[in-house]
């Protein structure tokens, strides 16, 4: 049983029995304006009145042979298989064409996946012959880019930190890797016992060339071991932004598979993986800035830890896996590449 440790406004716990809430296990939508489909009740399927203004996340579960259609509205989205594969068909202004076939993966701990980008102001149909679970990462945006396929071979797999701060980052939707208008999204895998998202850092105010204003969603899955589902911990502490607009976000959350933590502002980290249980989290980021960039500021009390990393080896358990060899696909940073 999950123990309530601190502010639950920002910690959204997994729900059992997804069928009771329709196809979505979770919906996280911006709370300042309508941000989800008509007919989808956020109080039944997720969290509708959030402190977020830009970033969205939905976790969709489809049974074998199942399908689901949704309107993208004022947001751009990446459809990312968590387990299983699917077909993504886009119907909008000039987008109707052969659907994208996503091979997917067994689970988030077994490999990099391919994905599909779908633009705002479109209708999207996701179907799966074998069934599966799919993350829909979204961001409010102004430009309408073409729908595109992102191959698994185009996902840079990066190792960050060393020693017990080692983690793996799958930069599928990172700025400079895959073209979006506002959306930034990556996957992070942290071996059991390690501290991730460390040193604590923030990106909650615009300081050109130094820091981006980006709110963030963390979605967690924990690898089971020895019959135990496992757990982890996420910390967020208040920051004092120069604009004075900080919410004083203060969270200490015990997280389990299916949980999410919302970070409208504040220093975030560490994300702690319990020994024996690999931690996965999906980061979804978006903000108001015209420049799509991930610029962070380390916490002044903890940034020194980076200076110790050159003297330690990277955790030998990493990488958990690497991206498959690249084929002849168009470079995914090109917004016209492999567009349909």
């Amino acid at each position: 049983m999950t123990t309530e440790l601190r502010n639950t406004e920002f910690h959204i716990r997994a729900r059992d029995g997804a069928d009771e809430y329709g196809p979505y296990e979770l919906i996280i939508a911006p709370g300042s304006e309508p941000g989800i489909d008509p007919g989808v009740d956020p109080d039944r399927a997720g969290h509708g009145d959030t402190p977020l203004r830009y970033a969205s996340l939905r976790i969709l579960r489809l049974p074998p042979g199942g399908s689901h259609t949704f309107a993208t509205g004022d947001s751009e989205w990446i459809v990312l298989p968590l387990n299983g594969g699917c077909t993504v068909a886009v119907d909008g202004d000039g987008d109707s064409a052969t659907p994208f076939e996503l091979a997917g993966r067994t689970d988030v701990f077994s490999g990099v996946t391919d994905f599909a980008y779908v633009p705002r102001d479109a209708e999207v149909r996701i179907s799966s012959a074998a069934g599966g679970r799919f993350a829909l990462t979204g961001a409010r945006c102004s430009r309408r880019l073409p729908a595109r396929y992102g191959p698994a071979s185009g996902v840079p797999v990066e190792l960050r930190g060393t020693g017990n701060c080692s983690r793996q980052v799958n930069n599928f939707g990172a700025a400079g890797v895959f073209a979006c208008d506002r959306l930034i999204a990556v996957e992070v895998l942290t071996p059991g016992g390690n501290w991730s998202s460390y040193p604590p850092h923030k990106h909650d105010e615009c300081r050109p060339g130094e820091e981006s204003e980006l709110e963030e969603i963390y979605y967690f899955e924990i690898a089971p071991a020895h019959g135990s589902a496992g757990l982890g911990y996420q910390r967020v502490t208040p920051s004092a932004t120069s604009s004075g607009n900080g919410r004083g976000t203060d969270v200490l959350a015990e997280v389990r598979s299916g949980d999410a933590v919302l970070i409208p502002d504040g220093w975030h980290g560490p994300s702690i993986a319990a020994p024996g249980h690999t931690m996965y989290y999906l980061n979804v980021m978006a903000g108001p800035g015209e420049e799509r960039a991930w610029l962070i500021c380390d916490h002044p009390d903890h940034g020194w830890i980076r200076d110790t990393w050159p003297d330690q080896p990277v955790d030998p358990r990493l990488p958990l896996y690497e991206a498959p060899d690249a084929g002849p696909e168009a470079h995914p940073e090109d917004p016209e590449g492999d567009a349909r």
Side-chain angles (χ1 to χ4, degrees):
M1 182 178 72
T2 302
T3 302
E4 182 175 330
L5 296 176
R6 205 170 270 247
N7 196 332
T8 57
E9 177 186 4
F10 305 100
H11 178 201
I12 303 171
R13 293 177 175 81
R15 296 195 180 196
D16 295 327
D19 290 346
E20 180 182 351
Y21 308 107
Y24 290 116
E25 294 181 359
L26 176 68
I27 293 179
I28 298 171
S32 58
E33 299 175 26
I36 62 172
D37 299 343
V40 176
D41 180 355
D43 292 330
R44 293 180 63 245
H47 209 69
D49 186 18
T50 74
L52 304 181
R53 294 181 293 160
Y54 308 102
S56 299
L57 175 66
R58 308 179 189 185
I59 304 298
L60 173 68
R61 181 188 293 272
L62 293 178
S67 66
H68 178 67
T69 300
F70 74 99
T72 60
D74 63 0
S75 297
E76 60 187 346
W77 300 83
I78 286 179
V79 179
L80 181 80
L82 298 174
N83 63 275
C86 66
T87 300
V88 180
V90 184
D91 188 4
D93 183 16
D95 289 316
S96 299
T98 303
F100 302 111
E101 299 291 344
L102 304 187
R105 54 189 166 184
T106 301
D107 57 46
V108 298
F109 303 104
S110 63
V112 176
T113 184
D114 51 357
F115 58 93
Y117 172 91
V118 296
R120 59 170 293 161
D121 302 318
E123 185 173 89
V124 178
R125 184 175 186 269
I126 303 173
S127 56
S128 178
R133 297 172 63 252
F134 310 95
L136 281 57
T137 66
R140 282 187 169 139
C141 65
S142 55
R143 290 193 301 153
R144 191 174 193 278
L145 301 180
R148 276 160 293 135
Y149 172 79
S153 59
V155 176
V157 174
E158 173 190 2
L159 300 184
R160 290 185 190 163
T162 63
N164 62 357
C165 291
S166 301
R167 61 268 201 185
Q168 171 179 332
V169 184
N170 300 338
N171 288 301
F172 71 94
V177 172
F178 189 87
C180 299
D181 185 25
R182 299 291 176 85
L183 176 64
I184 297 174
V186 301
E187 300 179 301
V188 181
L189 295 118
T190 306
N194 285 5
W195 283 32
S196 197
S197 279
Y198 199 79
H201 59 282
K202 74 180 185 77
H203 39 71
D204 56 13
E205 57 184 325
C206 178
R207 296 185 298 133
E210 297 183 36
E211 185 178 350
S212 307
E213 183 180 352
L214 297 167
E215 61 191 22
E216 189 163 13
I217 301 168
Y218 275 58
Y219 167 78
F220 295 89
E221 297 200 359
I222 311 294
H226 299 278
S228 169
L231 53 83
Y233 291 89
Q234 176 68 41
R235 186 72 171 106
V236 186
T237 54
S239 65
T241 64
S242 60
S243 64
N245 293 329
R247 295 174 54 96
T249 304
D250 193 351
V251 183
L252 175 57
E254 181 180 291
V255 294
R256 298 174 185 260
S257 286
D259 284 9
V261 172
L262 312 184
I263 306 174
D265 65 331
W267 303 103
H268 42 290
S271 305
I272 305 172
H277 297 273
T278 300
M279 169 188 280
Y280 164 94
Y281 54 85
L282 172 62
N283 288 146
V284 184
M285 290 168 275
E290 293 297 325
E291 181 185 11
R292 178 174 172 253
W294 183 66
L295 300 177
I296 67 170
C297 174
D298 283 343
H299 194 294
D301 293 343
H302 305 287
W304 61 267
I305 195 70
R306 293 186 187 273
D307 295 335
T308 70
W309 289 351
D311 298 327
Q312 303 177 69
V314 173
D315 190 314
R317 294 173 289 181
L318 294 175
L320 270 66
Y321 49 75
E322 297 180 343
D325 292 337
E329 298 93 344
H331 193 288
E333 176 63 13
D334 177 6
E336 302 298 330
D338 202 15
R340 296 177 182 172

